[in-house]
Amino acid sequence: MNRLEQKVSTARRRLVLAKFGKALCMTLFVGLIVATVAIAVPALKFLEIDFQAWTYGWIGGASLAAVVIAGIYAIATAPTMQSVAAEVDRRFGLRERVSSSMALDKATKESDFGIALVADAEKRADQLAVADRFPLKPSRLGWMPLAIIPVLAVVLMLVEPLNKTTASSTAAIDPVEAKQVQTVASQLKKRIQQQKRKADAAGLEEAKEMYEKMESQLDKITGKKDMDRKDAMIAMNDLKKQLEERREQLGSPDQMRRAMSQMKGLESGPGEKVAKSIEKGEFGKAEQAVKDLADKMRDGKLTSEEKEQLKKQVEQMAKVLEKNAEQHEKKKQELQDKIDKAKKEGRGNDAAKLQQEMNQMQSKDAQMQQMSKMAQAMSDAAKAMKEGKGGEAADAMEKMADQLGDMADAMSELEDLEMSMDQLSESKSQMRCEKCGGGGCQSCQGNGQFGMGQGQGEGNGMGKGNGSGDRPEEEGDTNTYDTQVRGDVKKGKAIIAGFADGPNRKGISREDVKAAIQSTLNEESDPSENQTLPRTEQEHARQYFDSLREGK
């Protein structure tokens, strides 16, 4: 190897070492991260290992693997001698002298031209300082493995490996408890599916989506065979929270019912049935009644007198609803002023209590907006009837009917929500019950509705004994009838409400006092009546008569 080849080999080694150093920074960084995670595993899962050997093994193994991988990469991607020669020409500005000399074949090298070219290249190569143009210096990548070292040190100080006792206590789950969780979750899932089908049949899309989401969450519980009671209770609380949030969104139609009940002096006429239905909360009947009135209005089946009565009734109802909506907004503004004043004066507790009241009032905003829309539709209908525009009045009443239909749907959904919340509470009681194992009994408020009998063994819910599965559906008579039950009035029992200290003393009844006052008013005073005076008055009387005797 001549001097020219020695210089090129030196440059090649330095290029390979530089590439090895950069690759080592990356591989060592990744290796230390993997080692850190592996060292933390014994704190999460019990492993029958020597923790010290485990730690040193991962750190040493990760470091060794990083060096090997970086070395293989550097060797595999090492440049050729010819490419390094071209790089030497470029960095030293030799105008391809070295690369041309390295590329000559044996015959060309022995020619006069080749000998002259090689001699010139070797002469220039003797003056080259390869280390200056091919330096080995650290780069910013060197900080990457150093950055993970503090994290590794913290993990080494804080990690406490699980021992066998701790691992067994945390991982062991009572199979009876897990089975009880599965039983309760499966029963609750069936009830939620029934509620979903009911919402789907009624066209309540939002309720259907909510029940579908709850069903998917229950699938997770039933699909996990080793879930304990605590985790299941947490999941049940999440379901309850969803139901409560939906109930707050819907609000309650009670405000409109109370508004109608406060209405005084409602004119008699065709709209009386609508007002009474709303007052009773029968929004479906109110919707149908409004639709019938709209059809009669559009077909001209209402007399002039009925139209006038209906107009007055609708105006009255609209005023009542508008007044309630305005009062609600006024109370909110007054409450907001009190909150601002309390905050300004630094009364944080008072402001927090007032804010709770504000939150309760704001939960009624949805029904108040519905009430305002209803009042607007009533006002439009009354105005159209006043102007003799029967078609426009009928259209406005159709809008009223649509809004009443929405309220009927909301009422139905609220009833379903209340039922679902009761079922959820019942399921939580079943999950804690030790008598029925989650099947449902009177102790956990199941009241026998899940097929609990008096005998032994499980059947299909149609006889004595514990029932399991769904009972077959059967048509039943659901008509109502009037009946009279005579009350059996008995003497009530005395109840001691408390005790009073002190001796017993005869008192004067109210009637005695009344009689005494009456007799005093009706009879003249008798001056000769003997009366026993108090001691102080006796002394005064004696002094008075003594002074009379002495002539004073």
Side-chain angles (χ1 to χ4, degrees), residues 380-418:
D380 294 341
K383 182 179 179 182
M385 283 187 283
K386 185 176 181 180
E387 296 175 356
K389 300 177 180 178
E392 294 183 6
D395 293 339
M397 295 182 73
E398 287 287 350
K399 292 181 180 179
M400 289 172 52
D402 293 339
Q403 291 165 0
L404 286 169
D406 293 340
M407 297 188 72
D409 292 341
M411 177 69 79
S412 177
E413 187 175 349
L414 279 171
E415 292 175 356
D416 293 342
L417 287 174
E418 292 295 337

Side-chain angles (χ1 to χ4, degrees), residues 9-40:
S9 297
T10 302
R12 184 172 180 269
R13 285 195 301 270
R14 299 182 76 87
L15 288 174
V16 172
L17 287 174
K19 186 173 291 188
F20 170 78
K22 292 180 180 180
L24 181 61
C25 293
M26 297 295 296
T27 56
L28 191 58
F29 175 72
V30 175
L32 290 177
I33 290 179
V34 174
T36 303
V37 175
I39 292 171

